[in-house]
Structures are given as C-alpha cells and as structure tokens.
C-alpha cells in the first residue's frame, strides 16, 4: 500500500510540472564573460546579395527591409495592418496634480461594431499653448495601477508633466494577455476570446511581442488626432519584455520619433551571440507565446540566427535611440545591451549622425551627446524616476535640435 501511495505521489508530482518547467531547469545559464563562445556578428550593412550598403538611401530603401523581414519571419512574427474599423472615444477627463495636468481615458475601438477595444490613460500638461511631445508605452498591471504611489517611480507622471511632456499608457494584457495564466476581467480585455491575436488576422503567426507592438501603433493612431499632442514628437518606450515590444514597434512604425529600450535584454537590445544571462532556449521555453514558431529552430543555436540585436536597434536609424541597463540586471546582459548601442554607429553614420563612445560607461554616467544614448543605472531590473529623467533630457536635446 505504501509503495502504491508513493507511486501515485510521484505521478502527481510529474504531472504538476509542466514541460516548460522541466526544460527550464535543464537550460544552463552563463554569467561569466570568460565563457562567452567565440562568435562573429552579422554585418547590418551587408545586404542579402553580398553587396555593401554605401549610403543612406540604399539603407532606407533596400537593406532596412531585409533586416526587418528577418526579425518578422524568424523571431517576432509579422505585424498586421491597421484595422479598418479603428476609431476612438473619450471616456473621461479631469484636472490632476493641483492643476499641473489633465488626465483622460480614451477608448480605442478596433472594429466598427465596438466589440474589441482597449483603453489608454493619458496625462498632459495643463495650460500649455502648443502641442506637447509625448511618451507612449505599455504597462504591466493595468492603467489604474500606474497611479498607485508604489508605481510612482515607474510612472512619475508629475515629474514628466513638469518637464512639459505628456505620457500615454495602456495595459499590456488588454491588448494581448501575457500567456495562458493571465487573469483579466472581461470588461478590461480587448477581446473576449482571449486577445487580439485570437481575433485579428487569425491566420498570422505573430507572437505577443508583435501584438503589443501593434497595440502601440494603434495608440499612435489616436495620439496623432489629439490637438494637444505634437505627433512629430512621440517617443515609444518600454521596460523589460515591453522594452522588446517598444523596439519592435519602433522598427515597424517609423512615425515614432524616438525609441527607448529599458532593460530589454534577450531578444531586445542585448547581443544574442554572447549567450549571457537569459538565452534563446530559456526565453523560448519560458515564454513561447512571445514569438513566431519559426523561432523554435534557434533553441541553443544563437549563432545560426541570420541577424543579431544590433541589427534590430539599427532599424531605428536615423531617429534618436536610447538603450539603458542596470548594474545588477545580469539576466538582461547590460554589456550586451551597450554593445548594440555601440554597434549601430555605422548605420547612423550613413545619415551623418553619431552614436555612443567606444568605452563602456561608468554606472550612473549617461552618454547622450549623439543621437544614440546609453546608460547603466546602479540597481536592479526596473525602470525608475532616474531613468525617466534621462529619457526626458535626451528627448529635449534631440527635439530642440530639429
């Protein structure tokens, strides 16, 4: 009897462990720079036919599309077109922060029948006589959660409003739930059947990162209609997995005037071939819903991927680009993120623009003299008021120079 009970307990235990959990335990993680495998990075300026890109026009009209297709086909999936029934409705508006700003909620309807939608929370400076620059990004826990005092560092609205900038955010899960375990109320979800991928372009093989990027473009579609917003100065921003989405949105949608990647790590800004911290096998085991299924073939095979993440961030050129890391965020490989910022210099040079310097900066010493900026903040994996301060400063500097 005891043997039978033990056997049943073992069966129950095995069944309680998902295949992904078991696989994740078997994936080795490296944090040692001395154990980085030898690698050769693909040249973003070398076209598929072997010809070298010689000028900005050739990059813009030929090579850029080739790199974009690599990431769409092999990693994130293709982003579908704007929905035909897209329209907007203001749900509420109020004065906040002792008259400093205006807070409003706008509902983005994705079809004429108004069956699919998500809300964006917008903060704008009050009593400003001209359209203002904006930051647009997704959040992790819901729009109302960004108003909580505990979230004030991640979303320091007052600080940003005082600088003359607006902020628009939407809940990630209202566009596409982050996996099967996401718990969302029907009234908060864009799609009653589970997410935008289940409803829109059902035949497409696009992951959640692409869906979130698509949602960011829908946010831009509204902001461009708001007379209080300067549509030529809207920066897309994201932290962690939403930093990956911000990069993919900025790569696909050149209407975004600036792109900010905060601690985006593996399949974000970090060089994949370094295989430090999170790697292809681990990320695709833990979060397969983020990617197109073509990405499966690169498990444990970073060197086989036909591009690397410096190619992704190069798609932002010639627009301002800011990549940021944190000293204790080894999972996201800070040095690998910095290398991407460094290695896009040849692409920006085609446009007569400068990148970052060739020396890894000291902590809390932002480098933002050129149109590409980087800093590594002291601390952990997070986005803080300090980070926002740098992003606002960089945006001011670049928007003023236009």
């Amino acid at each position: 009897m005891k043997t039978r009970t033990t056997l049943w307990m073992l069966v129950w235990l095995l069944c309680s462990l998902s295949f992904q959990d078991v696989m994740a335990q078997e994936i080795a993680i490296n944090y040692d720079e001395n154990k980085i495998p030898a690698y050769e990075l693909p040249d973003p300026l070398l076209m598929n036919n072997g010809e070298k890109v010689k000028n900005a026009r050739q990059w813009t009209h030929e090579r850029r599309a080739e790199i974009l297709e690599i990431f769409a086909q092999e990693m994130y999936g293709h982003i579908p077109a704007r929905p035909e029934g897209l329209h907007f409705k203001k749900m509420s508006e109020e004065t906040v922060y002792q008259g400093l700003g205006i807070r409003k909620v706008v509902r983005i309807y994705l079809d004429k029948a108004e069956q699919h939608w998500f809300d964006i929370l917008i903060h704008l400076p009050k009593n400003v006589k001209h359209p203002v620059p904006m930051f647009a990004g997704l959040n992790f826990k819901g729009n109302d959660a960004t108003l909580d005092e505990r979230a004030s560092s991640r979303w320091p609205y007052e600080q940003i409003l005082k600088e003359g900038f607006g902020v628009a955010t939407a809940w990630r899960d209202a566009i596409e739930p982050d996996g099967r375990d996401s718990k969302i109320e029907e009234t908060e979800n864009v799609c009653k059947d589970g997410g935008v991928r289940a409803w829109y372009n059902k035949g497409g093989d696009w992951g959640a990162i692409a869906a979130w990027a698509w949602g960011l473009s829908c946010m831009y579609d509204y902001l461009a209609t708001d007379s209080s917003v300067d549509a030529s100065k809207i920066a897309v921003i994201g932290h962690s997995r939403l930093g990956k989405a911000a990069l993919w949105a900025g790569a696909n949608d050149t209407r975004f005037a600036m792109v900010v990647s905060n601690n985006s790590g593996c399949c974000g800004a970090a060089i994949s071939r370094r295989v430090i911290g999170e790697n292809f096998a681990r990320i695709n085991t833990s979060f397969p819903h983020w990617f197109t299924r073509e990405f499966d073939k690169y498990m444990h095979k970073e060197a086989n991927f036909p591009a690397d993440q410096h190619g992704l961030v190069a798609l932002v050129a010639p627009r301002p680009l800011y990549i940021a890391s944190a000293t204790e965020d080894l999972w996201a490989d800070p040095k690998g993120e910095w290398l991407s910022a460094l290695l896009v210099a040849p692409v920006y040079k085609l446009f007569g623009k400068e990148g970052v310097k060739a020396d890894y900066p000291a902590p809390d010493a932002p480098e933002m003299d050129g149109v590409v900026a980087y800093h590594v903040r002291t601390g952990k994996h997070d986005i803080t008021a300090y980070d926002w301060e740098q992003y606002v400063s960089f945006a001011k500097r670049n928007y003023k120079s236009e």
Side-chain angles (χ1 to χ4, degrees), residues 50 346 396:
K396 278 186 172 182

Side-chain angles (χ1 to χ4, degrees), residues 11 16 30-31 33 110 177 182 184 229 244 270 272 292 303 310 323 337 368:
V11 171
S16 67
N30 174 46
Y31 293 109
E33 290 279 336
L110 302 174
S182 294
I184 50 182
V229 175
K244 308 180 206 300
S272 302
T292 174
H310 65 307
I323 297 173
E337 293 178 313
M368 58 175 77

Side-chain angles (χ1 to χ4, degrees), residues 154-175:
R154 284 197 168 189
W155 297 96
Y157 291 126
E158 287 187 80
Q159 171 186 330
I160 298 167
L161 291 172
K162 288 177 181 177
E163 296 291 344
F165 282 72
V167 187
T169 187
W171 186 25
R172 164 202 69 186
D173 284 20
I175 298 167

Side-chain angles (χ1 to χ4, degrees), residues 61-266:
H61 296 285
E62 298 180 54
R63 179 56 177 160
R64 189 182 187 282
E66 291 181 345
I67 297 176
L68 190 69
E69 179 59 20
I70 289 172
F71 283 98
Q73 177 66 29
E74 306 295 330
M75 183 176 285
Y76 306 116
H78 294 86
I79 295 178
R82 165 179 170 156
E84 293 182 2
L86 190 73
H87 62 287
F88 321 104
K89 180 180 180 180
K90 184 169 69 174
M91 308 301 290
S92 65
E93 182 172 324
E94 59 182 321
T95 299
V96 293
Y97 305 124
Q98 294 76 48
L100 175 64
I102 295 172
R103 176 185 299 155
K104 60 184 177 181
V105 175
V106 173
R107 183 156 294 176
I108 297 184
Y109 288 107
L110 302 174
D111 58 358
K112 293 180 181 179
E114 300 188 350
Q115 296 297 307
H116 305 94
W117 50 267
F118 66 93
D119 289 341
I120 54 175
L121 177 67
I122 301 171
H123 285 84
L124 293 165
K126 193 175 181 181
N127 300 322
V128 176
K129 297 181 180 179
H130 54 80
V132 300
M134 294 286 297
F135 286 93
L138 303 179
N139 63 73
F140 288 88
K141 297 183 179 180
N143 292 345
D144 288 346
T146 69
L147 304 174
D148 192 296
E149 289 183 352
R150 290 169 295 179
S152 61
S153 181
R154 284 197 168 189
W155 297 96
Y157 291 126
E158 287 187 80
Q159 171 186 330
I160 298 167
L161 291 172
K162 288 177 181 177
E163 296 291 344
F165 282 72
V167 187
T169 187
W171 186 25
R172 164 202 69 186
D173 284 20
I175 298 167
E176 179 67 28
D178 191 12
R180 299 176 182 175
D181 296 331
S182 294
K183 304 295 183 183
I184 50 182
E185 297 294 332
E186 183 177 296
T187 56
E188 296 175 319
N189 190 12
V190 63
C191 296
K192 295 178 181 179
D193 46 4
V196 70
R197 288 188 299 160
W199 162 69
Y200 191 66
N201 190 32
K202 293 181 180 179
D205 183 15
W206 49 317
I209 289 174
W212 297 329
W214 181 85
L216 285 163
S217 286
C218 291
M219 289 173 63
Y220 185 100
D221 289 329
Y222 164 73
L223 293 171
T225 71
D226 192 321
S227 61
S228 300
V229 175
D230 185 341
S232 70
K233 296 178 180 178
I234 299 176
V236 63
I237 185 171
H239 165 64
S240 193
R241 65 196 64 185
L242 301 182
K244 308 180 206 300
L247 284 170
W248 192 228
N252 282 271
D253 193 340
T254 58
R255 297 177 301 173
F256 287 113
M258 173 174 145
V259 179
V260 180
S261 159
N262 189 91
N263 299 187
S264 61
C266 181

